[in-house]
Amino acid sequence: MAGNRGVTYQGPGKVSVETIDYPTFELKDGPGVNPANVGRKVPHGAILKVVTTNICGSDQHMVRGRTTAPEGLVLGHEITGEVVEVGPGVEFVKVGDIASVPFNIACGRCKNCKEGKTGICLNVNPDRPGSAYGYVDMGGWVGGQAEYVLVPYADWNLLVFPDRDQALEKITDLTMLSDIFPTGFHGAYTAGTKPGSTVYVAGAGPVGLAAAASARLLGAAVVIVGDLQEDRLEQARKHGFETVDVSKGDPRDQIEQILGVPEVDCGVDAVGFEARGHGAGAGKEAPATVLNSLMEITAAGGGLGIPGLYVTGDPGAVDDAAKVGSLSIRLGLGWAKSHSFATGQCPVMKYHRGLMNAILHDRVNIAEIVNATVIGLDDAPAGYREFDSGVARKYVLDPHNMTGKVTSVN
């Protein structure tokens, strides 16, 4: 049996690469594992040798100490891997397949899964609908920033790539299918983006850039990306998106300079609960800023797609209300303007096959747009530090150098 190592949360601001258990077809006790899931048999699972696994902004919320994640939790929910073993209940997935793993863990059997709501599966997390690998309060399924990982319900969850050589050639694009590309697409799609739309995306991190790219795929006439950091805005401009620097003030005036009117058809929140103020308040955390701003600048009858993460427990929040996810939202404004709101985990399966085809047929170069940078597993702590500083990169971990693209963190 091979050994295994993984990236673990060790307290606010700290991650380390540790020896962890090699996966088996049973969920064992460990940091973050729901007691009701301990001993759960997984004959329907597959063990994957991880090809690529990405550092996500959602991981950063935990690493900053902004959730109730326990120390020792193995991180990582953005996984692409090669199948090395399958359980006795697996019928279609084969050893040697290379596949994308949706970050949502779903059973494929419950009411929600059968309705395509795989982000809120009823059977994988004893505490609440919905689950994910390596994430706080998500059932305790071990994370995939590791050398090997277990994927339950493999026939249902895995998106197997049609050609191994083609997959490895385009792996830095395909690795984005596990989360950020479908999540960005979900934000743009649920905001109502269609041919000719004008779209504002709050946040120029990887999910925001994926949302911008998705809005363009959906036919938007103009895509505007807002952020506080100039290097991220430059990355957006590099790929043909208009930009707004919200450190200079309310985005309305800058949007008007671009469009001739101070509003857009569709708004996307790719920031989430650690939002900061605009203009004079740009350095201060103000978690309702983005949502309220989007209601201001989205036209009456427009939609807000909200893939940015909001939580029910934030020990580092600015006030007691925000610590339990209660924010000062101007819901009356959204109601008065007949806005639609779409929130929650992206149901990755709804989109990932189509987005895979867009990648394989050269309709989008998502790795270039998000500035994918491949590093080794041992460089994960440095990658977390760099990503937390706001660099315009998406760090991709390659534990076995299967991409042949591993570089060191600068």
Side-chain angles (χ1 to χ4, degrees):
M1 180 184 296
N4 197 17
R5 296 186 307 146
V7 180
T8 63
Y9 171 66
Q10 296 294 333
K14 300 176 184 177
V15 299
S16 65
V17 180
E18 306 287 342
T19 298
I20 62 173
D21 289 340
Y22 187 85
T24 65
F25 296 108
E26 179 180 326
L27 191 55
K28 298 179 180 178
D29 197 8
V33 179
N34 190 299
N37 260 350
V38 174
R40 184 171 181 163
K41 306 297 184 184
V42 192
H44 42 68
I47 295 172
L48 271 60
K49 178 181 181 180
V50 175
V51 177
T52 52
T53 177
N54 314 326
I55 297 174
C56 180
S58 297
D59 297 322
Q60 286 286 24
H61 294 306
M62 289 189 291
V63 172
R64 292 182 187 125
R66 298 299 297 269
T67 71
T68 56
E71 293 184 12
L73 183 74
V74 182
L75 301 168
H77 57 271
E78 299 189 8
I79 309 162
T80 305
E82 178 184 11
V83 177
V84 294
E85 188 176 355
V86 296
V90 175
E91 184 175 0
F92 303 110
V93 170
K94 307 299 183 187
V95 171
D97 285 343
I98 294 183
S100 177
V101 184
F103 80 90
N104 323 108
I105 301 172
C107 73
R109 296 152 166 80
C110 71
K111 173 181 179 291
N112 284 350
C113 283
K114 289 180 178 181
E115 293 177 353
K117 302 172 184 176
T118 54
I120 44 174
C121 173
L122 300 173
N123 288 332
V124 288
N125 183 355
D127 281 344
R128 66 184 69 166
S131 190
Y133 304 87
Y135 211 84
V136 60
D137 296 331
M138 288 291 186
W141 300 90
V142 178
Q145 287 174 14
E147 294 173 329
Y148 296 90
V149 68
L150 171 69
V151 174
Y153 304 101
D155 281 328
W156 170 251
N157 281 307
L158 292 179
L159 174 66
V160 176
F161 300 136
D163 181 87
R164 178 187 180 91
D165 291 338
Q166 185 186 34
L168 290 174
E169 180 183 350
K170 292 182 174 289
I171 195 65
T172 51
D173 292 290
L174 294 172
T175 192
M176 306 304 166
L177 291 173
S178 59
D179 182 354
I180 68 161
F181 196 10
T183 293
F185 191 92
H186 182 60
Y189 179 80
T190 57
T193 306
K194 58 188 178 184
S197 294
T198 56
V199 182
Y200 176 74
V201 179
V207 171
L209 293 175
S214 298
R216 190 154 60 193
L217 271 178
L218 288 164
V222 183
V223 182
I224 306 168
V225 181
D227 205 280
L228 295 162
Q229 300 197 48
E230 176 55 31
D231 57 343
R232 289 190 168 191
L233 292 172
E234 177 56 32
Q235 180 70 13
R237 288 192 292 269
K238 180 180 175 181
H239 292 280
F241 305 115
E242 301 287 346
T243 61
V244 162
D245 184 347
V246 296
S247 71
K248 296 180 179 178
D250 191 292
R252 286 176 62 88
D253 293 340
Q254 296 176 67
I255 288 171
E256 186 171 19
Q257 291 173 12
I258 295 168
L259 298 177
V261 293
E263 60 184 15
V264 293
D265 300 316
C266 314
V268 179
D269 175 1
V271 177
F273 74 102
E274 287 193 69
R276 296 186 179 275
H278 297 161
K284 299 177 181 178
E285 188 167 316
T289 298
V290 170
L291 291 172
N292 286 330
S293 174
L294 286 175
M295 285 186 277
E296 287 277 358
I297 64 179
T298 301
L304 276 64
I306 309 171
L309 176 67
Y310 289 87
V311 295
T312 57
D314 175 10
V318 294
D319 56 46
D320 288 340
K323 287 180 180 179
V324 293
S326 181
L327 308 181
S328 297
I329 304 298
R330 293 190 64 193
L331 186 59
L333 176 61
W335 189 94
K337 296 177 77 173
S338 294
H339 285 155
S340 62
F341 297 79
T343 67
Q345 286 188 39
C346 164
V348 171
M349 285 188 191
K350 183 174 182 178
Y351 310 110
H352 67 173
R353 188 173 298 276
L355 295 177
M356 175 188 73
N357 288 333
I359 290 169
L360 295 179
H361 293 282
D362 299 318
R363 292 283 290 128
V364 63
N365 297 313
I366 189 65
E368 290 184 13
I369 291 171
V370 302
N371 197 14
T373 304
V374 183
I375 61 176
L377 191 68
D378 287 319
D379 261 349
Y384 269 94
R385 287 193 299 271
E386 288 293 304
F387 191 39
D388 195 48
S389 73
V391 295
R393 295 180 183 272
K394 174 68 171 178
Y395 282 109
V396 175
L397 305 178
D398 177 356
H400 304 280
N401 197 18
M402 291 183 69
T403 66
K405 299 178 180 180
V406 172
T407 60
S408 297
V409 178
N410 294 331

